[in-house]
Amino acid sequence: MINWEFCVAFIQASMIFLLAATGELVNQRSGVLNVGLEGLMLVGALAAFAIAAKTGSPWLGFAGGMVSGGLIGLLHGFLSISLKADQTVSGMGMWILALGMTTYLGQPLSGPLPGDGRLESVIAGLTPMFFIGIVIVICVWFGLFRTKYGLWVRSAGEDPSVAVVSGLNVTRIRYICVVFGGVMGGLAGAYLTLVYNPVWSPNPTMGRGWIALAIVFFSMWRPEIMLLGSFLFGFLWHLAISPSALQFQGIDLSYHFYRMIPFIATIVVLTVISSKKISRIIGAEKPAALGKPYFDQD
Amino acid sequence: MLRSPVNVTSTSPQAIQTARPVAGPYSHFMDLSKGEKILEMRGITKIFSGGVVANDQVDFDIRAGEIHALLGENGAGKSTLMHILSGLIEPDEGEIIIGGQQVRIGSPQDALKLGIGMVHQHRKLIPAHSVLENIIIGHPRTPIILNKHKAKKEISQLAQSFGFEIDLDAKVWQLDASEAQVVEIVKVLYLGARILILDEPTSTLTPPETEQLMSSLKSMVKQGLAVVPFITHKLPVVLDISDRITILRNGKIVDHILTEKADEKWLARKMVGKETLFDLHRTEVELGQEILKVVDLSAMNNKGFQAVKGVSFSVREGEIFGIAGVSGNGQFELAEVLMGLRKPTQGAIFFQGKDIKRTSIKKRWSLGIGYVPAERIEVGSVADFSLGDNMAINLYFNDNYCKWGILNFKKIYQDTEASIREFSIKTPGHRAKAKEMSGGNLQKLILARVISCRPRLLIVNLPTQGLDVGAGEFVQNKLLELKKQGVAILLISEDLDETLSLSDSVAPIYEGQLMGILSRAEADKQKVGRMMAGMVRSSE
């Protein structure tokens, strides 16, 4: 049965995707791909969990998650913007680093979060972070398409040489966006371990970062579609955890089958979306300079 | 000595006010009354890291209310000089004086603050963004929260005052070359430029578009702005538009002249430094049998839109069939279809009477179809290969050069050396890499390679684009020589003068359709120009 409880749970699951994808969307719009999104979330999740467990304050936990995610974003920025490393390789590095680090450092913390570190729900089972998250997404949409700074970010991602000629500092813009992406990734991780499932176990994100990355591509880099995509995948993800919500008469499928659904959906959706026909209908294309380091003319 | 910043004689002073929202610190020294010297460059020298002297003690000045053309071949140092002026490059020596004060221009923003704006040939626009977004992007007065309505009003007013029409909501990728150029011009004007530097402004325009642009530029200088176009080819345009001409060669100023005293021959001689121009050896030959016949051919472009729409024509032995058009009208797709690089959606292609619609590219080469692509660096050659290996790319299917799959490199290299001599290609030898060659020498090599395949039909796409006058003339004479030998040639060119002087038949192309097929005698420049712009269709 789909009841309100199920809905709350799936909305919480969606928020994780939404927050992470929002950050990734911004840094991709500026031209920097960070495939290490999963890693950002892991680091944020551990930092938030540890701080909230130690101090008993979920808000400090959120802050810690955001700062640590931002730091990993900064490291990715340093490698891929300043040192002009391959963005995919650097992003992969971030993920592997984070996976190893959080598994090792998180070992002593294994187990549920002590009660006073949890965020209590306020309205109809939803936590304040839900509302904050929605506000952030709206702000990002407005910022990207209605402000000067958004125009700068989009220009840096489309053609950095044009941006430079127009007097913009592409390096600075990209750094800011990549750190923002890191902060949002960290926040998504914090949301996971402080709200959605306040338990620490190794690799708590279980591929959510990769799906969030896919949602950015799925959205054709548009926040409004990304919002939809996040809820779609959040629904599928939660359905995979509690398939009893949709009971098909006479069909008894394995639990593993349901766990596959979000990932299969990712492959199908991305294949369809990336076809030339669809992208022409939507009229959106990926930022032209995405993934390309910018070399100053010399 | 605070003078009024603007002397507005135009009809719309308001628009001019919005034209310079970023009045730079020096702008009030700028006297924009006609004939006043507003900018002076003295003793500019720039030596690049390889030791290439791009500018050698160059003196140049700009006066208000004039069009001062900068003329020179590729590599003469025009771009360097103007890049110095627009802040992209800093000179090693020399000074720039604006309004009596020496200034340092460290960036394009510095240049704009001083009222200098540059319109690049390779458009500095973002295709995915709207025209409006492209124009306001670097504007310091753009508010944090964009006020598109206000900006639109200001910009369209400004554009109209110079006779430009632009759709601010269109995306830049939807625009054609001339519209994109207008956007760039309006952009720098909106940023406050009073000295407008134009890089090859007419190279991608049809003749009517060129006229339109010229009248807009003239209305600009009437309002006290200064315009500096720099131009490699198209001497008639220079003579038509400018008030003064300065000629650069090998980084030095050769001469300057008032336009009224100059003529085409004189300018050409000064540019090239020798008298070799306009000397095409054209021999009329009897046209033989039909080599290529195209019937109702259509094809898509890469974006999936119909680019070639029902084209029919034929080319005979010894005939140069010129397709005249501005890029993006389907001529490149047409060439690719004929060569087998692109699939036609309908129609038929006959080569010596045989349908070759489904014939492979390799087979087409062996049948005797040769192809000189427009992209000589990307498609025409492999940059990291030696000249000899670049020759071999096209000969592997030729029994003279390749037996049982084993290449006869000795012969290939011998023939490469022979071609280097015959085509007077400037290179140390067949071991030199393609990327080390200038455009002209590379094009000669590609032509030599294609000719060594002894084609019966030659498809040449933009054979002289970007080449300097000498190399261009060499290529054109080679084509005429092939014609004399009875080769059928399909010439695709954006240079109308070239098409008209070489071709036996001229077919203007517009939006994927041939607007008619004119014989050499019928094809005069104005008529073809209007057909290229889609304004008239020949009544056959």
Side-chain angles (χ1 to χ4, degrees), chain A residues 272-283:
Chain A
V272 172
I273 280 284
S274 60
S275 73
K276 271 234 152 75
K277 274 216 173 89
I278 296 287
S279 70
R280 205 167 75 225
I281 292 166
I282 300 177

Side-chain angles (χ1 to χ4, degrees), chain B residues 197-215:
Chain B
I197 303 166
L198 299 169
D199 184 350
E200 305 282 356
T202 60
S203 66
T204 53
L205 306 187
T206 60
E209 285 167 349
T210 305
E211 260 166 50
Q212 177 88 44
L213 176 69
M214 287 202 265
S215 85

Side-chain angles (χ1 to χ4, degrees), chain A residues 59-75:
Chain A
W59 297 108
L60 279 179
F62 275 114
M66 288 161 78
V67 169
S68 58
L71 286 175
I72 299 287
L74 188 65
L75 178 60

Side-chain angles (χ1 to χ4, degrees), chain A residues 142 145-149 151-152 154-155 158-159 161-168 276 280 297, chain B residues 108-109 124-126 128-129 133 136-138 140 142-146 148 187 302-305:
Chain A
F142 186 82
F145 296 103
R146 289 288 185 273
T147 70
K148 170 161 83 172
Y149 304 122
L151 182 57
W152 291 4
R154 287 184 289 129
S155 301
E158 286 289 343
D159 190 337
S161 70
V162 175
V164 166
V165 170
S166 304
L168 310 185
K276 271 234 152 75
R280 205 167 75 225
Q297 285 169 321
Chain B
Q109 281 62 53
K124 294 277 185 190
L125 294 173
I126 296 175
H129 289 182
E133 286 176 329
I136 62 176
I137 175 178
T142 301
I144 291 175
I145 294 176
L146 303 175
K148 292 193 179 176
K187 177 179 175 176
N302 289 342
K303 287 195 170 142
F305 296 116

